Structures are given as C-alpha cells and as structure tokens.
C-alpha cells in the first residue's frame, strides 16, 4: 500500500509539472517568478518518489511530504499575492503609484517584470493556477503522510 501511495503522490507532482509546462509551451502562458518557485518542489517530489518506490525508507517519504507541502505553501502565498491580500516580491509585482513623480513612474514602468506575480492569467471556478496548485499539492502532501504512516 505504501508504494502505491508514493507512486500516486509522486505521479501527482509529475502531472502538475506537466500541466505547468504544457500551459507554458503549448498554451503560451509565461510563468512568473513565483510560478517557477512552485515547480522546484514538484521536481524534488518526483525524484524522491522514484527513490522511495525502490527504497521505501521512511525518511524519503517524509521528504516527499515536505516537498509537496512546500509547493503548496508557495502556491497559497502566490494566490494571496494575486488576490492582493499581501504583497509579493518586489521583483515580481508592481508597487503603488500614488505620489510618484513622472520620472519615478517611468522608472517603475521600465523596471517592471515582463510577467507579474500579481496578475491572474488563468483561473477555473475563480481559483487561479497558483490556487489549484496549492490545493492539489496539499492533498499530495497528505498522501505522502499517509504513505509514511502505512504499514507497508
């Protein structure tokens, strides 16, 4: 049972990565900085899943849970940036323009990132890609935990 759960959890991360790359290269949705940050833990979860499938060490399985929880956390943070609940990294979002001189405004425009983290390029049921990643990755993290707790 443990190996099946590991396979499903790692496969879920692989599917989310494929979806991200598909939306980028086939759908034309360029990723922002936070989008890219969400991909790295998925890649780690896939590698950990392959290792844990063949060497079912509990430490590896907990690392898989940590990877999935990490990308979920980044996804929730990113969704909050998109909704304007909090500010994102200054290299990824635009700043307030009130009180700026025309020179300062022009400087902000010229230094703005090409793909902003506070824009929502795609959503389904009013949930952005970052939000979906957060929710699905949380479920994957719980699956990793279930695998760690499984007898064998």
């Amino acid at each position: 049972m443990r190996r099946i759960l590991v396979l499903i959890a790692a496969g879920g991360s692989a599917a989310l990565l494929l979806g991200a790359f598909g939306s980028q290269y086939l759908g034309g949705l360029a990723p922002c900085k936070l989008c890219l940050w969400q991909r790295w833990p998925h890649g780690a979860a896939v590698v950990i899943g392959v290792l844990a499938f063949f060497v079912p060490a509990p430490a590896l399985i907990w690392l898989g849970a940590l990877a999935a929880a990490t990308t979920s956390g980044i996804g929730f943070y990113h969704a909050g940036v998109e909704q304007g609940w909090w500010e994102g990294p200054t290299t990824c979002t635009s700043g307030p323009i009130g009180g700026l001189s025309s020179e300062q405004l022009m400087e902000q425009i010229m230094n703005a990132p090409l793909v902003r983290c506070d824009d929502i390029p795609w959503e389904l049921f009013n949930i952005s890609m970052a939000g979906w990643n957060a929710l699905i990755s949380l479920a994957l993290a719980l699956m990793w935990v279930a695998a760690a707790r499984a007898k064998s």
Side-chain angles (χ1 to χ4, degrees):
M1 183 64 169
R2 176 181 285 172
R3 294 173 85 186
I4 292 171
L5 290 171
V6 165
L7 189 64
I8 292 169
S13 281
L16 287 173
L17 266 178
L18 286 173
F21 285 122
S23 69
Q24 178 180 350
Y25 293 109
L26 300 176
L29 296 176
C32 71
K33 183 178 193 173
L34 290 176
C35 294
L36 294 174
W37 287 1
Q38 292 170 75
R39 293 179 184 186
W40 288 102
H42 280 304
V46 171
V47 171
I48 292 166
V50 170
L51 292 172
F53 184 79
F54 294 107
V55 182
L60 281 175
I61 297 171
W62 285 110
L63 278 176
L66 179 63
T70 299
T71 192
S72 178
I74 297 168
F76 278 114
Y77 172 70
H78 188 184
V81 169
E82 291 172 334
Q83 296 300 322
W85 296 337
W86 43 75
E87 289 187 27
T90 56
T91 59
C92 197
T93 57
S94 67
I97 60 171
L100 293 180
S101 69
S102 58
E103 292 84 22
Q104 291 170 321
L105 181 58
M106 182 56 89
E107 183 181 340
Q108 182 173 326
I109 290 169
M110 296 308 292
N111 292 326
L114 294 177
V115 180
R116 292 180 21 192
C117 295
D118 53 358
D119 283 339
I120 301 173
W122 181 91
E123 62 183 10
L124 178 65
F125 306 121
N126 291 323
I127 301 173
S128 68
M129 289 176 71
W132 282 112
N133 178 61
L135 294 170
I136 295 169
S137 296
L138 180 59
L140 293 175
L142 294 173
M143 193 163 297
W144 279 104
V145 169
R149 298 176 60 133
K151 295 293 180 198
S152 61

